[in-house]
Amino acid sequence: KGIRLLTSVRASVFYMGFNLNDPVVGGMSEQAAKLRRAISIAIDQEEYISIFQNGRGLAAQSPLPPGIFGYEEGEAGINPYVYDWVNGKARRKPIEAARTLLAEAGYPNGRDAKGAPLVVNLDTTSGGMGEKSRLDWLTRQFRKIDVQLVVRSTDFNRFQEKMRKGNVQLYYLGWNADYPDPENFLFLLEGKESKAAFGGENGSNYLNPEYDRLLARMKSMDNGPQRLEIIRRMLRILQHDAPWE
């Protein structure tokens, strides 16, 4: 009947954040980063998109969505800490890689040095239809690496208060572009935007001086090879530190 479906990718991101001020999932040590990367590998975003979004979406490799300068297609654009490049496609690392990272982070088989199970908390607002199915799915993702997920659901105002005070471990948020520039996404992880310290948009309270230094240089640059190289360095820092999943 001449009906066509036209699709495009929106300049927006949806992410699970880690509170870097938290004593369990936070911190800037290599062990802490390995814990966050293990969780990032375990949560199969491709499966989530297929089941809950009817295939409408792309698994993010960085804070930059397609259409924003600095986003790169192909092998150059993948997160090498979560994906391998296999036969011309990005493939999520196997769950064994996540288990190895978890052990190196000090939690072999999901247990600490005293044998206590690793329990992490997801702070979220009360959802609507389908929320239970999504949270059950997420709990199973953590179970793949023997980590126990506890969902702490609350109303929106209480959730916002917890975010402002930095009293969360894991959380979900999203961001739509105010203007089509990489700065509008990368500033979300700037140190002076820390929500707990300064009331900014950095809900993970992430602070990396090198990242902030590069961001300050990149902000006012015109799009070109030099700006792209700085953005690449910034994205590698974020992929290593893993403040977002």
Side-chain angles (χ1 to χ4, degrees):
K1 296 183 181 291
I3 298 172
R4 293 185 300 151
L5 175 65
L6 303 178
T7 63
S8 61
V9 181
R10 221 168 32 181
S12 60
V13 292
F14 182 63
Y15 58 91
M16 185 182 77
F18 300 89
N19 179 13
L20 273 291
N21 289 344
D22 183 77
V24 177
V25 301
M28 291 295 289
S29 68
E30 186 64 19
Q31 279 190 312
K34 286 182 176 181
L35 170 59
R36 294 191 291 271
R37 296 202 296 264
I39 293 173
S40 296
I41 293 170
I43 301 177
D44 190 338
Q45 296 292 0
E46 289 80 8
E47 183 178 278
Y48 178 89
I49 291 168
S50 175
I51 295 173
F52 297 106
Q53 295 185 287
N54 198 25
R56 295 172 298 171
L58 296 173
Q61 306 290 336
S62 79
L64 298 181
I68 299 297
F69 182 80
Y71 175 88
E72 295 186 271
E73 300 277 359
E75 186 174 7
I78 69 168
N79 180 345
Y81 295 98
V82 178
Y83 289 85
D84 294 316
W85 189 254
V86 181
N87 296 327
K89 293 183 179 180
R91 179 184 295 174
R92 184 172 294 271
K93 289 181 182 292
I95 202 66
E96 290 77 15
R99 287 179 171 276
T100 297
L101 285 171
L102 195 66
E104 292 173 355
Y107 298 98
N109 299 314
R111 294 184 176 272
D112 64 17
K114 297 180 180 179
L118 174 58
V119 179
V120 296
N121 300 296
L122 171 68
D123 289 277
T124 183
T125 56
S126 301
M129 185 181 300
E131 184 69 6
K132 184 180 185 303
S133 296
R134 286 189 289 270
L135 293 176
D136 286 346
W137 175 88
L138 187 61
T139 300
R140 291 195 297 273
Q141 304 302 297
F142 279 81
R143 198 179 298 147
K144 291 188 298 188
I145 53 174
D146 299 315
V147 176
Q148 297 180 27
L149 178 69
V150 175
V151 178
R152 302 192 297 201
S153 183
T154 185
D155 61 63
F156 183 73
N157 290 337
R158 175 63 178 145
F159 173 75
Q160 290 289 82
E161 181 184 3
K162 293 176 79 172
M163 289 293 295
R164 284 194 297 270
K165 293 182 177 179
N167 292 332
V168 299
Q169 280 191 322
L170 309 179
Y171 65 93
Y172 275 105
L173 282 178
W175 187 261
N176 295 314
D178 297 305
Y179 44 91
D181 189 86
E183 185 273 338
N184 191 232
F185 289 92
L186 298 178
F187 94 102
L188 295 169
L189 289 158
E190 188 175 12
K192 68 180 183 181
E193 284 288 335
S194 167
K195 188 172 288 289
F198 306 111
E201 297 294 343
N202 179 358
S204 288
N205 303 301
Y206 174 68
L207 174 60
N208 184 311
E210 177 63 10
Y211 177 84
D212 288 352
R213 185 185 69 81
L214 292 170
L215 178 62
R217 285 183 60 195
M218 184 276 297
K219 281 182 180 181
S220 58
M221 295 178 71
D222 293 330
N223 290 344
Q226 286 186 321
R227 195 182 202 208
L228 178 60
E229 183 55 36
I230 291 176
I231 291 172
R232 284 172 175 164
R233 290 165 61 187
M234 294 173 67
L235 296 185
R236 284 294 179 260
I237 290 171
L238 292 180
Q239 290 163 346
H240 172 274
D241 293 346
W244 288 3
E245 193 287 307

